[in-house]
Amino acid sequence: MMAPLHQLGAALYLAAALLAWAGLALRSGRLERASVLVLAAGAAVHLAALASLHRADPPPPLTDPAAALSFMAWIGVLAFLALQRRARLAGLTVLVAPVAFVGAFAAALRAPAVSPAAFAGSGSWPHAHVLLASAGAALIGLSGLAGLLFLAEHRRLKSHRPLDAKLPLPSLEALDGVNRVALALGFPLLTLGVATGMLWVASERGTFWSGSVHEVWSTLAWGVCALLVAARFGAGQGSRQAAVAAVGGFAFLLFALIGVELLA
Amino acid sequence: MRVLLVGMSHRTAPLDLRERLAAPDPLPALRKLVASEEVDEAVILSTCNRVEVVATTRSLDAARLRVRSFLRRELAECDLGPEVESSLYEHVDGDAMRHVLRVACSLDSMVLGEPQILGQTKDAYRGALEARAAGPVLGRLFQQAFATAKRVRAETRVAERPLSVARVAVDLAKRIFEGLADKRALLLGAGEMIEAAVEALRGAGLAHIAVANRTPERASELAARCGGTAHGLEELPRLLAEADLLLACIAAPQPLLGAAQVEAALRPRRGRPLFVIDLGVPRNVERAVERLDDVYLYDVDDLAAVAEANAAARHQERARAEAIVGEEKLRFDAWLAALRAVPTIRHLRERAERIRAAELERVAGPLALGEAEREAVEYLTRSLVNKLLHAPMTQLRRAAEREEGGAMLEVARLLFDLDADPDAVSEPPDREPSDDA
């Protein structure tokens, strides 16, 4: 059941992405709004796909990279949908929907293959770790996507070749707002994810630090994100610098959480 | 029925001539024009860039002389002299229709895609209706023109991008800020240019305005006009730190704001962007300010360059708009051609009705029909006639839209004997003619 629902969710995300890009090409606010609705429908189906995991016997863990990516995509879409109700953000769907599609599609390709027996005796730490870390990473990802669009628009404005005002894209101020809010919410969740990960390791091996590749890279990524937060909220970093940092931070986090696993 | 358009525009006549021809209230003159024999219907479009008369007539040459004379002597209530003739242009039938559509779509305007002309064209048509000068043909032509203009706006980008410096500034502000209602603008200077720009920004929702000027009185005057507060230049550092938009246009040989001063103002803003519109010549803001991350600096040349790029983008859309005009003109042509069938169809219906009524009278008396029976027979005969005529009338309308439709109309008149004396046709044969009759 999981794969078909994931496939449907991925298809809806893809449809949302196509609608958003068509809206951009045709300068149609109506298409942009339609893309948000389709994205929301995709998120609902995606939730059903994730929920179906728990009905499986035995339930597959979320620690599989594809499943974790799928969960991150869902949280990211959810956060975007929540934020876009407060600001003129529908245009950000051009980036959020394709990324969500990749996340859901990765999970649709294959079912998690990790044996649940591997987590016997760890209690709820594995799931708490994956849920919190994925949610944190998803929000930092959203911050990075907003940063990416911010940099594109900033560059056009600075070079005195501004984008057409009729293009249904968010303003710099709205994008900076997404960057700030997503980072402010994402970093505490990521911190909790790292903490629960350590508790998981402690419950299994009796030590908080096992020195695995995943642990090393995750801790490094957390450190990078901590620097982003300090620069943004402590040192009064400018909007453009914050956008560059968000894009870089998310790229590093993605590599640390997914890339390292895939390369290992 | 012919359509004639005679007029002058910014392309053919200098402003002083257009001014002399522009009539503040052209309706009395229009009433006189349609009262003349040569013109059936007329609409006068009078704007600052054009004066045009669109008319329908059954005698083109006579109407041409009449409309030219009207423009030269009657519209302006004085004789403008023969030199006006060289500034007049003339379009007939298809060209006239196309011209009306192009004007309504702003494809013939001085500023391509400007929105005012559509409203002016609507006003002109409304005036003609009021003066009872517009009839079915010009009514249809102008409705078609309005629909075409709507299509052009929806399907092309010919009117999308702003061309004035003030409107460009508003568009840029919308790309930077989510909204202008909660933003603070600092006006450095109190001249006309700055006032025009701030008016456009106020139209987009800007509410909090501070005016700083060397002369406090002028700052107070502008602040009063735009609902802001007046300040001296000594308050500039504080005002700059609070501002989201800076509009500068003050006469000064050197820039009033340097990069260091703006950078100092940015420090407490924690990344809040500052949009600087420098309308001063020489510049009021150092060009180096542009290098600061969260500052978006546009001077007069930058804004003009954006406006020029927008104008070029509009011109690229011209071909698509012209194609739409061509399609819509074809529709109007078809409608106008279908009008040729109207007299034939009317005759056909009248003849059929006469026959029906006469036959009914002939049988109603001897049969001594009661009221209910008579109504039933009335309904039956009317229904029969309508159903029998429906197909030929539809075919005649369709045929009239085609070039060879005239022949079909002739055949119909012959077959149904429509050119005969109406009284003579009231006695149709009692029965179908047999082969040996």
Side-chain angles (χ1 to χ4, degrees), chain A residues 25 27 87-88 153-154 157-158 160 162-165 167 169 171-174 233 238-241, chain B residues 157 160-161 171-172 174-178 183 270-271 287 290 292-298 302 306:
Chain A
R27 290 165 165 74
R88 196 169 42 123
E153 289 201 35
H154 168 88
L157 278 164
K158 278 289 192 183
H160 300 141
L163 291 167
D164 184 353
L167 278 179
L169 285 173
S171 64
L172 289 182
E173 189 181 35
F233 299 105
S239 309
R240 190 195 68 85
Q241 291 167 331
Chain B
R157 292 167 195 162
E160 246 180 31
R161 295 167 177 238
D171 267 16
L172 287 168
K174 284 181 181 170
R175 287 253 69 106
I176 297 169
F177 302 112
E178 184 60 7
K183 297 293 172 286
R270 304 180 77 88
R287 195 73 190 178
E290 199 173 45
L292 299 172
D293 256 351
D294 296 317
V295 180
Y296 301 93
L297 169 64
Y298 279 71
D302 298 328
V306 174

Side-chain angles (χ1 to χ4, degrees), chain B residues 68-183:
Chain B
R68 281 178 175 269
S69 158
F70 170 79
L71 283 169
R72 185 178 150 183
R73 298 190 182 88
E74 295 168 46
L75 184 58
E77 293 175 350
C78 64
D79 194 340
L80 295 176
E83 71 269 17
V84 77
E85 285 287 336
S86 61
S87 300
L88 291 177
Y89 48 78
E90 185 181 302
H91 300 294
V92 178
D93 293 341
D95 289 342
M97 297 167 205
R98 181 186 294 277
H99 184 82
V100 171
L101 301 191
R102 290 185 77 249
V103 166
C105 296
S106 188
L107 295 177
D108 195 52
S109 297
M110 188 182 273
V111 178
L112 179 68
E114 54 94 0
Q116 287 85 5
I117 187 66
L118 180 59
Q120 289 164 333
T121 312
K122 284 182 177 173
D123 288 344
Y125 175 60
R126 217 172 285 133
L129 282 179
E130 199 182 302
R132 296 180 184 277
V137 176
L138 289 189
R140 175 74 183 214
L141 176 60
F142 276 81
Q143 292 301 341
Q144 190 92 30
F146 305 148
T148 308
K150 196 176 170 190
R151 245 192 96 188
V152 164
R153 274 170 197 281
E155 294 176 26
T156 74
R157 292 167 195 162
V158 81
E160 246 180 31
R161 295 167 177 238
L163 300 182
S164 74
V165 163
R167 288 293 314 162
V168 167
V170 170
D171 267 16
L172 287 168
K174 284 181 181 170
R175 287 253 69 106
I176 297 169
F177 302 112
E178 184 60 7
L180 294 181
D182 61 338
K183 297 293 172 286

Side-chain angles (χ1 to χ4, degrees), chain A residues 41-58:
Chain A
V45 172
H46 199 166
L47 173 64
L50 293 170
S52 72
L53 284 174
H54 293 278
R55 286 204 293 272
D57 188 23

